[in-house]
Amino acid sequence: AHKFWSSKTAPGLEAIVRAISVLQPGRMNTFSAGKYEKSNHIEPHDDRAYADVFVEGGVTLKCSRDIAVIYYLTKDWTSSDGGQLIDI
């Protein structure tokens, strides 16, 4: 199962969105965080997939992710524990 928080509900995520806005000015920025616990997983996927985003004035933009980051927070985690990113 995939556990998910949006930038509107997880503490501290709004500050991350602001920081990304400084690094990529003039871009539409969003941020999401996923939490995976023991036996959770996500299917192989393409982070570059395009999606329609609806903005002000009824305009639809075709958007894609430019940056994806994985940050492991598990204490004493090693790759032998599994769960590491495999970039295909």
Side-chain angles (χ1 to χ4, degrees):
H2 184 174
K3 295 189 179 183
F4 182 82
W5 296 305
S6 76
S7 63
K8 295 178 182 175
T9 60
L13 289 183
E14 289 296 332
I16 293 171
V17 172
R18 284 192 301 275
I20 292 170
S21 296
V22 170
L23 296 172
Q24 296 217 314
R27 306 288 303 261
M28 181 173 57
N29 297 295
T30 62
F31 184 88
S32 61
K35 178 182 178 183
Y36 300 90
E37 296 179 343
K38 188 173 184 174
S39 79
N40 293 164
H41 70 283
I42 190 168
E43 297 297 323
H45 63 282
D46 181 358
D47 279 346
R48 191 75 182 154
Y50 289 86
D52 290 331
V53 176
F54 303 100
V55 295
E56 290 181 22
V59 176
T60 303
L61 300 175
K62 185 73 74 176
C63 296
S64 177
R65 186 179 302 162
D66 290 328
I67 299 171
V69 176
I70 296 175
Y71 185 62
Y72 293 99
L73 299 172
T74 305
K75 185 178 178 180
D76 301 322
W77 178 88
T78 68
S79 60
S80 64
D81 295 325
Q84 68 272 20
L85 170 72
I86 300 173
D87 189 4
I88 50 176

